[in-house]
Amino acid sequence: MEFYRQQPSESNNLLQQLAQLSDEQLQRDYLNYLQWTEPIAQMLAQLEDEAEALRVVRLALDVDLRLGAKLAGAVKPEFQMQTVGLVTALQIPEVLKVQLLGITRSDYAIPYLVEALNDEESCIPWTATFAFGEIKSEIAVRALIQALNHQNSDVYWLAPHILARIGSELAEAALIHALNHQNPWVRAMAAEALAEIGREEIVYLLIPSLRDKDPYVVEMAASTLGKIGYEVAVPALIEVLQHENPKVRIQAASALGKIKSEAVIPSLVQALNNESPSVDWYVADALGKIGSEAAVTALIQALQHKNYRIRYSATSALGEIKSQQVEEALIPLLLDENWMVQDRAVAGFGNIVTGTEEPKKLIYAVKNLQLYGIICQWFAKSARFKNISKSGGVS
């Protein structure tokens, strides 16, 4: 704290001494030291002499390019065209120059960055888009809004996320407007980026995107609604569980698991009867995350399903829930006709057994199921084996 309290006086003293300092002294005694960076920047914000401001920035660029770029944007606004010009005139790789222009945080860097969006080298438009996010001004936001219409996919994919990070009213309004963009990729990225804002009113604006004709937009909207986590989205997400695209159904199930509303349990149970193994797994996982008595009961019932994929998914989800009811339900699965279900049951026990009594119950169960040797081999490969051994269960 003492350092920061001293900064104003240090910057004022430096301002008074600046004209008497040689280039060598300025570099050696000030620009070479990190602790002087902020006092120098504060001094430049007060400096009325354009020639002196240019001198400091030029010398700083000779010491360290990032330092020089930072100081180029610290001078008075009326000098920044010249100081930023020192950065654009550097004979360095273009991608590095674009990065430095972002560090200046000066609006005078924006015209150069706009041109960089059209560069044929793929990393440069991407880097320029990031640079707008460093500047964060209204002019930078407007440039990003224009970038949503850019022909380069790297640019219009990244621009919504940069707008969300800036988070100004203008940036937020642009993202909301982009939910209706003609390009489905822009709509999808806008839906994803809105998770960074995360207010409840965003949920109401995103729900219509669950009916978008493009499945990727629906997927991203469902994912964002899960991240934001308000129950008002639950009815719309339940509808999406019936979507024709399995990736969309996965995101809907995942979102419902994050929201953790018991009202969705019947819909999730119905969705377990799915032709897609991946969807079944996420649906079962959602029930496991809800974790209520009703959800656990639904998963235990799913252990009897004729489809081994559903038994596998339910077993995986139950393996994360510690309760005697779950332990007892998993024991028969150790002899399931499908080896993958057996494996999940064993792994589930490895997750949920703790203390001294539970390992003894497990050892008793597997001995009676004549799987003692198999289970011991599995536990021998697991770090949990040591805990069970110490508790007196296995020797």
Side-chain angles (χ1 to χ4, degrees):
M1 291 297 294
E2 185 66 25
F3 167 69
Y4 289 103
R5 282 198 293 268
Q6 291 177 358
Q7 279 186 8
S9 61
E10 289 176 342
S11 62
N12 290 334
N13 290 338
L14 182 57
L15 182 63
Q16 295 171 8
Q17 300 171 21
L18 183 61
Q20 284 74 49
L21 293 174
S22 68
D23 291 356
E24 182 182 357
Q25 286 176 307
L26 189 55
Q27 287 183 321
R28 183 189 64 224
D29 298 337
Y30 297 95
L31 293 171
N32 267 320
Y33 290 94
L34 181 62
Q35 64 264 33
W36 275 102
T37 300
E38 290 306 319
I40 292 171
Q42 292 176 5
M43 181 270 293
L44 286 173
Q46 305 173 62
L47 185 59
E48 300 286 351
D49 188 327
E50 181 177 4
E52 281 292 272
L54 285 167
R55 179 171 80 104
V56 173
V57 173
R58 188 179 295 108
L59 292 172
L61 286 168
D62 289 340
V63 171
D64 181 88
L65 291 175
R66 293 177 64 87
L67 170 65
K70 177 181 175 67
L71 297 182
V75 303
K76 286 183 172 293
E78 56 265 33
F79 302 156
Q80 288 182 18
M81 178 180 291
Q82 299 300 321
T83 55
V84 171
L86 293 176
V87 178
T88 59
L90 291 169
Q91 299 300 307
I92 56 176
E94 189 67 14
V95 66
L96 175 57
K97 186 183 296 186
V98 169
Q99 289 177 337
L100 294 175
L101 288 170
I103 293 172
T104 69
R105 298 189 176 184
S106 171
D107 283 343
Y108 286 97
I110 291 176
Y112 194 100
L113 294 174
V114 170
E115 289 299 318
L117 292 177
N118 299 313
D119 198 286
E120 294 182 358
E121 189 175 342
S122 61
C123 64
I124 292 176
W126 179 273
T127 307
T129 309
F130 266 111
F132 287 123
E134 293 293 318
I135 297 173
K136 297 181 181 179
S137 67
E138 182 176 332
I139 298 175
V141 170
R142 293 190 183 281
L144 284 167
I145 293 171
Q146 291 299 314
L148 296 174
N149 301 311
H150 204 276
Q151 72 274 12
N152 188 320
S153 60
D154 287 341
V155 173
Y156 64 67
W157 271 60
L158 181 59
H161 293 280
I162 302 300
L163 285 168
R165 291 176 192 174
I166 293 173
S168 66
E169 289 185 11
L170 180 61
E172 184 178 321
L175 284 175
I176 293 169
H177 184 72
L179 291 174
N180 297 305
H181 198 278
Q182 61 181 359
N183 186 335
W185 297 107
V186 174
R187 297 199 300 273
M189 290 301 98
E192 184 179 44
L194 282 167
E196 298 187 43
I197 297 173
R199 297 194 308 275
E200 185 175 2
E201 54 264 37
I202 298 298
V203 173
Y204 293 96
L205 297 168
L206 274 173
I207 287 175
S209 295
L210 294 176
R211 296 187 289 273
D212 196 282
K213 61 183 179 182
D214 188 283
Y216 188 59
V217 177
V218 182
E219 192 179 337
M220 291 298 99
S223 174
T224 295
L225 288 169
K227 292 174 184 176
I228 296 175
Y230 286 98
E231 287 197 30
V232 68
V234 165
L237 286 168
I238 288 174
E239 289 185 22
V240 178
L241 284 174
Q242 307 300 320
H243 199 279
E244 62 183 4
N245 188 304
K247 291 183 179 180
V248 172
R249 297 198 297 276
I250 284 173
Q251 287 298 339
S254 178
L256 290 168
K258 291 173 182 175
I259 295 173
K260 297 182 180 180
S261 168
E262 289 200 42
V264 308
I265 292 174
S267 298
L268 287 172
V269 171
Q270 184 179 0
L272 266 177
N273 296 295
N274 201 292
E275 74 280 1
S276 170
S278 298
V279 176
D280 289 336
W281 192 93
Y282 279 93
V283 170
D285 182 66
L287 286 166
K289 286 178 177 176
I290 294 171
S292 66
E293 183 178 345
V296 171
T297 300
L299 285 170
I300 290 175
Q301 291 174 350
L303 296 177
Q304 310 300 320
H305 201 282
K306 62 182 180 180
N307 188 327
Y308 78 89
R309 296 193 308 245
I310 293 178
R311 297 198 303 277
Y312 174 90
S313 300
T315 304
S316 296
L318 286 168
E320 302 295 327
I321 300 172
K322 294 184 179 182
S323 78
Q324 183 176 350
Q325 181 188 16
V326 170
E327 290 176 31
E328 293 174 354
L330 287 179
I331 288 175
L333 276 297
L334 296 169
L335 283 176
D336 193 274
E337 62 185 25
N338 184 274
W339 69 269
M340 291 193 298
V341 178
Q342 292 179 13
D343 180 74
R344 285 293 87 197
V346 174
F349 271 111
N351 287 332
I352 63 180
V353 294
T354 56
T356 57
E357 293 302 319
E358 286 82 352
K360 290 178 181 178
K361 288 192 290 183
L362 172 59
I363 301 305
Y364 177 79
V366 298
K367 278 182 177 179
N368 279 278
L369 290 171
Q370 299 179 340
L371 286 171
Y372 181 65
I374 296 174
I375 303 300
C376 285
Q377 287 178 9
W378 187 89
F379 274 118
K381 298 176 183 178
S382 169
R384 299 183 185 88
F385 174 72
K386 296 179 182 178
N387 295 329
I388 294 177
S389 298
K390 290 177 183 177
S391 69
V394 179
S395 60

